[in-house]
């Protein structure tokens, strides 16, 4: 819920984001992560819904490692999500970490996005 209310209060306090498609710097470590405001909001909603759903049913106890397919799918999803958010920064890492800290995300929608470091 933190992510959702973070953007709600930013909108109330300073009028940003203008839309759910505005770019935001989501994290800076281990590399800069960029994405539209919509991404963390949807991920937060998904976690709230899934956590609520998963906690409503009792399950028979069994070993957590017994269903290896679930773990493989989980880690594949995590790796894919990390790559999607950090793809632009990963592309410039061979040039050193300085350029990766200043690179801008590719904007396939044609909107211009620029980030200036002070």
């Amino acid at each position: 819920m933190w992510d959702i209310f973070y953007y709600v209060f930013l909108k109330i306090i300073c009028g940003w984001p203008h839309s759910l498609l505005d770019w935001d710097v989501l994290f800076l470590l281990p590399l800069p992560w960029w994405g539209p405001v919509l991404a963390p909001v949807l991920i937060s909603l998904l976690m709230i819904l899934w956590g609520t759903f998963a906690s409503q049913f009792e399950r028979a106890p069994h070993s957590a490692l017994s269903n290896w397919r679930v773990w493989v799918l989980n880690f594949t999803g995590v790796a894919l999500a990390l790559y999607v958010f950090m793809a632009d920064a990963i592309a410039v890492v061979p040039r050193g970490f300085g350029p990766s800290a200043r690179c801008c995300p590719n904007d396939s929608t044609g909107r211009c996005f620029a980030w200036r470091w002070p």
Side-chain angles (χ1 to χ4, degrees):
M1 293 191 65
W2 162 259
D3 289 332
I4 296 168
F5 285 104
Y6 171 74
Y7 291 111
V8 168
F9 286 114
L10 275 177
K11 180 69 173 176
I12 292 169
I13 292 169
C14 63
W16 185 88
H18 301 290
S19 80
L20 290 174
L21 299 177
D22 283 351
W23 284 97
D24 191 13
V25 177
L26 305 174
F27 291 99
L28 291 174
L29 297 173
L31 293 171
W33 300 26
W34 287 279
V37 169
L38 184 62
V41 170
L42 287 178
I43 291 169
S44 183
L45 285 172
L46 178 66
M47 290 181 2
I48 291 167
L49 292 173
W50 182 250
T52 302
F53 177 73
S55 66
Q56 299 303 310
F57 302 100
E58 289 190 33
R59 294 176 39 162
H62 66 291
S63 172
L65 295 176
S66 65
N67 196 351
W68 62 272
R69 288 182 204 111
V70 172
W71 286 100
V72 169
L73 283 172
N74 181 41
F75 287 115
T76 302
V78 168
L80 181 63
L82 289 173
Y83 176 75
V84 167
F85 284 117
M86 295 188 296
D88 295 306
I90 290 170
V92 296
V93 164
R95 291 186 265 159
F97 282 102
S100 71
R102 291 183 287 280
C103 74
C104 294
N106 288 331
D107 192 355
S108 61
T109 62
R111 295 181 318 132
C112 181
F113 173 79
W115 180 259
R116 289 186 171 183
W117 293 96

